[in-house]
Amino acid sequence: MSAGAVQSVKLAQDPFGNYVVQNVLSSFKGHPVQALLATNLCKEVAKLATQKFSSNVLEHCFSVVDDTARTSIIDDLINAGTSKLALVAKD
């Protein structure tokens, strides 16, 4: 499963792969796999938030992860810098 988590950013951007990532996020609530997926997605949060398929994955991720992971997503978005945050806000 960790190999899939490594590819989660790529899958999140795919028209069909994004459904796989969303399903895994929902199916593994409270499991380390869910935290691993959220961590990998956080690394590219500004980019993913502005793309059609991956923005759906981020929205879903935000709604199903625990408070710690949710806080991490928010922190990563804020720490991405004002230009990236403005880009996400405009989108």
Side-chain angles (χ1 to χ4, degrees):
M1 186 53 77
S2 63
V6 171
Q7 296 296 322
S8 61
V9 172
K10 188 174 183 178
L11 285 169
Q13 298 173 71
D14 184 79
F16 301 105
N18 78 88
Y19 292 110
V20 173
V21 177
Q22 290 181 60
N23 191 318
V24 171
L25 284 166
S26 294
S27 299
F28 287 88
K29 279 192 173 181
H31 192 276
V33 169
Q34 186 187 55
L36 183 59
L37 282 174
T39 300
N40 285 340
L41 294 171
C42 282
K43 294 175 186 175
E44 302 286 338
V45 69
K47 178 176 85 171
L48 296 175
T50 59
Q51 296 178 1
K52 182 176 183 173
F53 303 113
S54 57
S55 65
N56 294 333
V57 173
L58 281 180
E59 184 178 334
H60 186 73
C61 180
F62 194 79
S63 69
V64 298
V65 296
D66 62 18
D67 289 337
T68 304
R70 190 175 299 114
T71 301
S72 180
I73 294 169
I74 294 168
D75 289 344
D76 286 347
L77 185 55
I78 291 170
N79 293 331
T82 55
S83 63
K84 289 186 179 180
L85 187 56
L87 179 66
V88 171
K90 281 175 46 177
D91 192 52

